[in-house]
Amino acid sequence: MKLVWQILAVVLACAVGGQGATAVQDDPWLSLLWGGLTVVLAVLVYRWVVGRTERRPVTELAREGASGSLLRGLVVGVVMFGAVIANIYVLGDYTVHGFGSPTGAIGLVGFMAGAAVTEELMFRGLLFRLVERGLGTYIALALSGTVFGASHLLNKDATLLGGVAIAIEAGGMLAAAYAATRSLWLPIGLHFGWNFAESGIFGTEVSGNGDTHGLLDASTSGAELITGGEFGPEASVYATLFGALLTVVFLWLARRRGHIVPRRRAERVDALATLAR
């Protein structure tokens, strides 16, 4: 019953935020405002329902160290996606036509912040964390990554290649980032940095959700394996490779810090929750 309450409360808060974001997406200032409200609502609901049902401090969303973790994740996300675009550009498949829309980029700050927080709370805060208790870190990472990738197949310009790429580069990487730190702030920052760089800076499509209007007016052309096709550069072989490499790095850190939960010894999660950071 505790699990049901957690899922219902968090999913409801995230659904309200998502529906509102869709409704105001054509107004950049309302989008920025609504994104901020969504972040606050989702975090408060998660802290309340998890703290109340599990009767513990919600250390995965602790205030202490949050800003530093968010900033580190932001930098990693922007640099990682910058590396993806750089490789596509070198091959001549990414072209900048000029400056784009500063106000569009402002709206994307709110939209992507809301998306990053709500998706991390649902897929890493709930799905990965709860599955890990019973099945261990590696199975939880594979399962939650698969579900995360599959959820993107519902998007407007979804492709099977894009869904598989998201499962590996995002589902695996973000779960591994959580396992390494036992905090949701790093994956939230990484998720936001990646998505905002992709849309708000480089002006490319995000996860098959249609065109975006960021700081640069740009386009991609060429082989789908290189550019990601209609799904966007997240389906590029470069994004998949860099995401997989970061997954390995984060898992190495998790193992080094003693954060890997073996199967059938999942009671260690409760102890790890008190050792975050």
Side-chain angles (χ1 to χ4, degrees), residues 152-188:
H152 287 71
L153 294 177
L154 302 175
N155 294 345
K156 175 185 173 184
D157 296 322
T159 64
L160 181 59
L161 176 64
V164 172
I166 288 290
I168 297 171
E169 75 201 24
M173 175 182 64
L174 294 168
Y178 171 73
T181 60
R182 291 295 151 183
S183 168
L184 288 169
W185 295 121
L186 181 68
I188 285 172

Side-chain angles (χ1 to χ4, degrees), residues 9-119:
V10 173
V11 169
L12 178 60
C14 294
V16 169
Q19 289 299 313
T22 300
V24 302
Q25 63 182 345
D26 293 330
D27 187 315
W29 300 105
L30 280 179
S31 186
L32 178 64
L33 175 61
W34 187 261
L37 292 174
T38 298
V39 167
V40 173
L41 173 66
V43 169
L44 288 177
V45 168
Y46 181 96
R47 279 178 173 159
W48 176 78
V49 72
V50 171
R52 187 176 181 86
T53 56
E54 297 187 12
R55 297 182 181 180
R56 65 172 178 85
V58 186
T59 53
E60 63 268 29
L61 282 178
R63 291 180 177 86
E64 183 181 356
S67 58
S69 293
L70 283 170
L71 181 59
R72 285 191 291 273
L74 175 65
V75 171
V76 172
V78 171
V79 170
M80 178 181 169
F81 192 77
V84 173
I85 288 294
N87 278 275
I88 298 175
Y89 175 79
V90 166
L91 293 177
D93 292 333
Y94 174 78
T95 304
V96 176
H97 307 292
F99 290 107
S101 170
T103 55
I106 289 171
L108 285 167
V109 170
F111 186 86
M112 293 306 174
V117 169
T118 55
E119 290 183 5

Side-chain angles (χ1 to χ4, degrees), residues 78 81-101 194-206 211-229 232-234 236 238:
V78 171
F81 192 77
V84 173
I85 288 294
N87 278 275
I88 298 175
Y89 175 79
V90 166
L91 293 177
D93 292 333
Y94 174 78
T95 304
V96 176
H97 307 292
F99 290 107
S101 170
W194 169 276
N195 277 359
F196 181 73
E198 186 173 14
S199 57
I201 298 176
F202 297 108
T204 58
E205 190 167 351
V206 179
D211 294 334
T212 59
H213 303 284
L215 294 176
L216 296 177
D217 176 16
S219 63
T220 58
S221 61
E224 186 177 2
L225 279 175
I226 301 299
T227 67
E234 284 173 319
S236 165
Y238 291 115

Side-chain angles (χ1 to χ4, degrees), residues 227-242:
T227 67
E230 292 185 348
F231 191 85
E234 284 173 319
S236 165
V237 66
Y238 291 115
T240 306
L241 175 61
F242 294 153

